[in-house]
Amino acid sequence: MWNNAEVVALVDGQGFVRAISRNEEEAPIHDAIGHSLIEERVLEACKPAAREALDAALAGKEVRLEVGAIADDGHVFWSKVRLMPSPLPDLPVLLHTRRLPRSWDALSQREKDVIYALHEASMNPKRAAKQLGITLNTFNAHRRAISQKCDLRGVGEFWVFVERCR
């Protein structure tokens, strides 16, 4: 249905990848060691937030963000990224990223809000609808729209998709 590449990397103080672990067959970027992923791969619109997150991680904070990047084959993909301090002093940042499903970019911001609300409501649709200030019927309309845009067949695939977007 989609690839779900996960990457864990150690990054130096200038933002260059020095060590990496990933599931190779699904990684959208293969040549990463020694490169600045922020400067070379991150979309221009996401660079300020990525730089700010790197600075925060260097200052000892954990930061989560969503980042768009360019894959080796040129397509744009979106990932959930977590940057945090590393236990190694010469490689001060630990980066964990999980690629979002390819259809993530097709969703509107409100549809993404529905997915986020589901996560925050422990996957309970009634609580998620209440959190968003909408009725359960409106929530289900958003669910159907997400399923249609992402070519999800049935409620089961929808729940798997939502979990992959965590």
Side-chain angles (χ1 to χ4, degrees):
M1 185 174 9
W2 57 71
N3 292 333
N4 193 41
E6 287 202 50
V7 174
V8 177
L10 290 169
V11 179
D12 67 17
Q14 288 74 43
F16 289 87
V17 175
R18 299 300 177 196
I20 196 163
S21 172
R22 60 184 162 209
N23 49 347
E24 283 295 329
E25 67 279 356
E26 295 184 4
I29 299 173
H30 287 89
D31 185 22
I33 299 217
H35 293 271
S36 169
L37 293 182
I38 293 174
E39 295 304 322
E40 298 176 33
R41 295 294 186 150
V42 171
L43 296 177
E44 285 299 321
C46 298
K47 283 184 180 181
R51 285 187 192 109
E52 188 176 308
L54 177 63
D55 290 342
L58 287 168
K61 297 177 183 159
E62 181 175 323
V63 182
R64 295 174 189 257
L65 68 156
E66 215 175 89
V67 174
I70 301 168
D72 287 345
D73 66 4
H75 79 271
V76 172
F77 67 95
W78 289 87
S79 293
K80 296 258 181 160
V81 178
R82 188 170 74 176
L83 294 164
M84 64 198 90
S86 159
L88 303 175
D90 48 331
L91 298 173
V93 176
L94 179 66
L95 173 142
H96 176 263
T97 181
R98 190 172 73 201
R99 181 177 172 181
L100 291 165
R102 287 186 185 234
S103 51
W104 182 255
D105 205 26
L107 300 178
S108 70
Q109 185 57 51
R110 187 60 169 173
E111 291 162 342
K112 291 176 184 178
D113 291 344
V114 165
I115 292 171
Y116 295 142
L118 275 170
H119 291 156
E120 291 174 18
S122 301
M123 306 301 264
N124 182 308
K126 287 181 182 177
R127 278 191 272 160
K130 185 175 181 180
Q131 179 182 342
L132 291 169
I134 59 177
T135 67
L136 189 56
N137 286 337
T138 302
F139 177 88
N140 285 329
H142 285 301
R143 183 189 54 77
R144 286 189 296 275
I146 292 166
S147 294
Q148 184 178 13
K149 285 182 179 180
C150 299
D151 196 28
L152 305 174
R153 294 173 192 84
V155 176
E157 282 191 18
F158 172 78
W159 290 111
V160 170
F161 178 84
V162 169
E163 185 59 33
R164 293 279 187 190
C165 296
R166 184 173 291 274

